[in-house]
Amino acid sequence: MCKLLNDWEPSKAAVDLVKLNGLDDKQIEKSVDYLKNQSGLKSIDDVEGYDNWNSLFIMFCIKANKEV
């Protein structure tokens, strides 16, 4: 399990779950890019309530791409 965000890539299972929630490849790519390059996050240990990047990624994608 990757603790550092820059070493992490979303698992196939995480991507498949996000796609089941209606996101396409472009939205997923943008979400990964944002998390890695603009979020300011570095280690999963610094994120309260999450113990791995895939679970954070799934919730982030669903919330960030939710229709308002």
Side-chain angles (χ1 to χ4, degrees):
M1 178 172 77
C2 289
K3 292 237 177 213
L4 298 178
L5 181 57
N6 61 355
D7 295 336
W8 167 82
E9 289 296 326
S11 69
K12 181 180 180 337
V15 170
D16 289 346
L17 184 60
V18 170
K19 284 182 176 182
L20 284 174
N21 280 277
L23 278 77
D24 61 27
D25 289 333
K26 186 175 181 178
Q27 291 167 308
I28 293 169
E29 184 180 315
K30 284 182 178 181
S31 294
V32 170
D33 182 61
Y34 179 85
L35 282 174
K36 286 190 158 200
N37 299 310
Q38 298 177 32
S39 69
L41 299 172
K42 293 185 194 276
S43 173
I44 195 65
D45 293 335
D46 299 332
V47 182
E48 189 174 328
Y50 292 94
D51 63 354
N52 68 74
W53 289 114
N54 283 319
S55 60
L56 175 70
F57 168 71
I58 292 166
M59 293 307 296
F60 175 78
C61 284
I62 293 169
K63 288 182 178 184
N65 292 287
K66 190 180 203 181
E67 288 188 38
V68 196

